Amino acid sequence: MTTLRNQRVTIIGGGMGGLASALVLRRLGADVTLFEHAPAFGEVGAGIQLGPNATRILREWGLLDEVIARGFRPENLVLKDAITGQVLTRQSLGDDFVERYGAPYVVIHRSDLHAILLEAAEREQVELVVDSHVERIDDVGPEAVVTLAGGAQHRSDAVLAADGLASLTRDSIVGDAPVASGYVAYRGTLPETGGHGADVVAWLGPHCHFVQYPIRRGEMLNMVAVFRSPAFLRGEEEWGGVEELDAAYTECSAEVQEAVRHLWRDRRWPMYDREPTENWGAGRVSLIGDAAHPMLQYLAQGACQAFEDADALDVFAARTPGDWPATFEALAAVRRPRTARVQRTARVWGDIWHVDGVARVLRNELLHQRDLTDYRYLDWLYGRSRDDDFGAQASGSETASREQEAAR
Amino acid sequence: MTTLRNQRVTIIGGGMGGLASALVLRRLGADVTLFEHAPAFGEVGAGIQLGPNATRILREWGLLDEVIARGFRPENLVLKDAITGQVLTRQSLGDDFVERYGAPYVVIHRSDLHAILLEAAEREQVELVVDSHVERIDDVGPEAVVTLAGGAQHRSDAVLAADGLASLTRDSIVGDAPVASGYVAYRGTLPETGGHGADVVAWLGPHCHFVQYPIRRGEMLNMVAVFRSPAFLRGEEEWGGVEELDAAYTECSAEVQEAVRHLWRDRRWPMYDREPTENWGAGRVSLIGDAAHPMLQYLAQGACQAFEDADALDVFAARTPGDWPATFEALAAVRRPRTARVQRTARVWGDIWHVDGVARVLRNELLHQRDLTDYRYLDWLYGRSRDDDFGAQASGSETASREQEAAR
């Protein structure tokens, strides 16, 4: 592809979003340099869930077969009450689901997914540079100048900041701060000995939840426990320690309490997001992925939305090749409302997962009554097609989305 | 009827439950004396709602035609969100409803309903004594002795204490105390000028609600506003004043705010109930009505359950005529679990009406999705037949009720 021949793009950050963006731009012919802060590429964490809105894109990129081969296709998403163990609702991920959304639901180890993207970027000859600390970015008109720690300067036609939740680039563009949710995640993996089955199961408890699903072709069991930190509520600096983990699930069923014992205890993930922002950058510089729209993980959409960003970038970079301000403006115009909705809905969905008292009664009743073939809560997230989003008039898709909501 | 000929029954309290009990026992042939604390019979308040579980019984007593003639048959029960005004759900009270439950839904002024019962008791020659302060009740084996203020003693074969929420009899039998809900009601009536329509409408708001419906053949509009008192939350002795009324609905729609302005401001009803009790008395003395099971009014079942009590009393007094300990034991065995469920459900239903935040989202979604012909939340309350309840083996109905719940 020669669409972006002689265009130089700098990408800051070698996570899922940075690698995916590098891949699509490189395939359009751009020369892509990716600076990663860490001394080596890699992902910390355990499993990650990929909805069909993400796997559809991975298939376009030619990566889905490998993702499935190294991951796992669960049979159902199951929500249970963490106290009683009662199944609240179940979403089959079988043929009807795949047909409706045009792609499968896949879960995979984060390291495996990251490796697949990294290998693809390497195959495409993205220039990958580790241990690179970007100190500033200057849009100087005809080009953008990235200054690295130590003083080296890197010139290019466009800069994408994919530096995640704690994005330094966002600090200078938006100047906002991450918002602590007061919830903390503990993760872990176990060899799968056959007890769990083939489902993604989430146990919903008061101010806590626990999720379990198989990864690595079903040979490994992924676990994540998320709970509200009492120390955070008390306003303490240090919060979410293992003593809080041990106390967080005492109200839950024996099954959940037993499972929580197997989590890694030496590492935790306090959970943050940010308020949606209208400002993704200007001119030749744009935020992308988590840097643009960090979200709580309750919809499992962090990487998925970064892939949607890269997919939109693919379209708009080809539509106005070399006119980066136009490309980034079109990208943000389409992606801002969508990702803001995912950010906001993830917060509400988390609230719904963690309710107690009468709200729990209502939540359980609502889920329990749900028709198992009712897709109303999924369509907006999984069902959007590239054609809908990237029509010649970006505003058209917004209208459609609003009409869809009004029709509910 | 001569079933209870020569049986002397004393009833304490001339509210709905006392009058209804007097009526059924008198019709079985008992000599009934009813002592009312107040200097005159009467009811304070405005409208009252009668579900088909109550109107079925009023029909058995031959009073339903008059109740309908002086009351109003609403067309629908409508629940709206008090902030947005959105209709959340609607229950038609038309032919399907009446056929399903075998009796209509009727609303009526409390004074009118009370007058109908009082007139019926007078027609049956119940001995009605006002200004009577019962000081103690002694079950002395062959009879019960009621001692009035001033020292007069009244001997009878049985005593029913229908002295309401603040029952002095309950103080000596159970020794518990009313439980303050922290919510207070303001009521009012207006001449109906045609704006409201024929529905019972409840607007549900955060920590408040407002109900409006026509009474007196549609010529009068009944209103009740119920809200949580901030002063109560602060632990103050005095709570629920008009300044709190004025502040309680500021978040609600203009329609609700305007309606609330027309409430009576010189009188308020702080809302109390009690925990269900297993102890309704012993031997020849029993609590009945609110004295036995005072409940929050969220299911509009206070008078309805008192009528169910009287209806059960009718059955059991005739089954073991003159054996009052057996009658009262059978009465309590059937009525305790039923009324405890209504008491508990009324609390939860009130909580559901008053939720805020994510719980409000869940509540509204659950109600909004409700199939308008789905009777699952009504059947247990309105659908029980006398045959179910009063089978020869009282425990049989309990089993059935539990199975019904388990089947949900």
Side-chain angles (χ1 to χ4, degrees), chain B residues 36-314:
Chain B
E36 165 59 33
H37 178 97
F41 284 97
E43 263 287 326
V44 185
I48 187 170
Q49 301 180 55
L50 298 170
N53 60 318
T55 55
R56 215 158 43 217
I57 293 167
L58 289 167
R59 188 174 52 210
E60 287 168 23
W61 296 343
L63 302 177
L64 181 57
D65 288 347
E66 196 175 353
V67 166
I68 292 174
R70 295 169 75 164
F72 184 78
R73 284 189 55 185
E75 293 175 7
N76 299 280
L77 299 176
V78 180
L79 298 181
K80 296 185 177 185
D81 185 282
I83 296 176
T84 64
Q86 181 201 13
V87 173
L88 299 175
T89 191
R90 170 190 308 274
Q91 175 60 54
S92 165
L93 303 172
D95 292 347
D96 286 353
F97 182 92
V98 174
E99 189 177 335
R100 185 177 189 89
Y101 298 124
Y105 199 98
V106 182
V107 291
I108 184 170
H109 199 293
R110 294 183 82 90
S111 308
D112 295 341
L113 178 61
H114 187 267
I116 290 167
L117 288 165
L118 185 65
E119 288 156 21
E122 284 168 343
R123 278 197 303 272
E124 300 287 348
Q125 298 182 294
V126 171
E127 190 187 352
L128 298 162
V129 189
V130 294
D131 219 353
S132 303
H133 303 258
V134 172
E135 297 221 315
R136 57 181 296 163
I137 306 166
D138 295 290
D139 184 349
V140 295
E143 61 184 7
V145 182
V146 169
T147 305
L148 299 172
Q153 293 199 323
H154 180 82
R155 288 159 191 282
S156 56
D157 300 295
V159 177
L160 278 166
D163 45 350
L165 166 74
S167 170
L168 294 173
T169 318
R170 179 159 173 151
D171 286 350
S172 61
I173 291 177
V174 184
D176 64 343
V179 177
S181 70
Y183 279 74
V184 59
Y186 281 75
R187 304 182 199 274
T189 54
L190 276 179
E192 166 60 321
T193 52
H196 175 78
D199 296 338
V200 174
V201 182
W203 285 263
L204 315 184
H207 315 304
C208 69
H209 77 259
F210 180 72
V211 176
Q212 218 172 29
Y213 53 83
I215 48 176
R216 294 218 168 127
R217 296 163 300 277
E219 295 155 16
M220 184 181 269
L221 198 56
N222 175 70
M223 304 177 294
V224 56
V226 176
F227 61 88
R228 190 175 70 183
S229 160
F232 176 86
L233 288 182
R234 291 192 302 268
E236 296 173 17
E237 284 276 304
E238 191 68 19
W239 53 278
V242 287
E243 71 293 346
E244 294 196 331
L245 170 66
D246 291 335
Y249 292 86
T250 49
E251 215 186 328
C252 296
S253 70
E255 182 183 26
V256 171
Q257 292 195 47
E258 166 62 19
V260 167
R261 286 184 45 238
H262 298 284
L263 293 164
W264 303 325
R265 296 170 68 85
D266 56 348
R267 165 124 205 191
R268 65 178 189 265
W269 287 260
M271 292 173 49
Y272 292 81
D273 65 357
R274 295 186 191 237
E275 299 297 333
T277 177
E278 287 293 300
N279 181 7
W280 285 21
R284 300 174 175 277
V285 181
S286 180
L287 305 173
I288 199 163
D290 270 357
H293 46 68
M295 52 189 58
L296 300 179
Q297 96 303 18
Y298 301 115
L299 295 172
Q301 281 288 311
C304 299
Q305 290 302 311
F307 295 163
E308 284 193 7
D309 287 348
D311 184 43
L313 178 66
D314 192 10

Side-chain angles (χ1 to χ4, degrees), chain A residues 352 358-359 365 369 377 408, chain B residues 352 358-359 365 369 377 408:
Chain A
I352 290 171
V358 70
E365 186 76 7
Q369 284 189 21
Y377 300 118
R408 286 212 32 215
Chain B
I352 290 171
V358 71
E365 186 76 6
Q369 284 189 21
Y377 300 118
R408 285 212 33 213

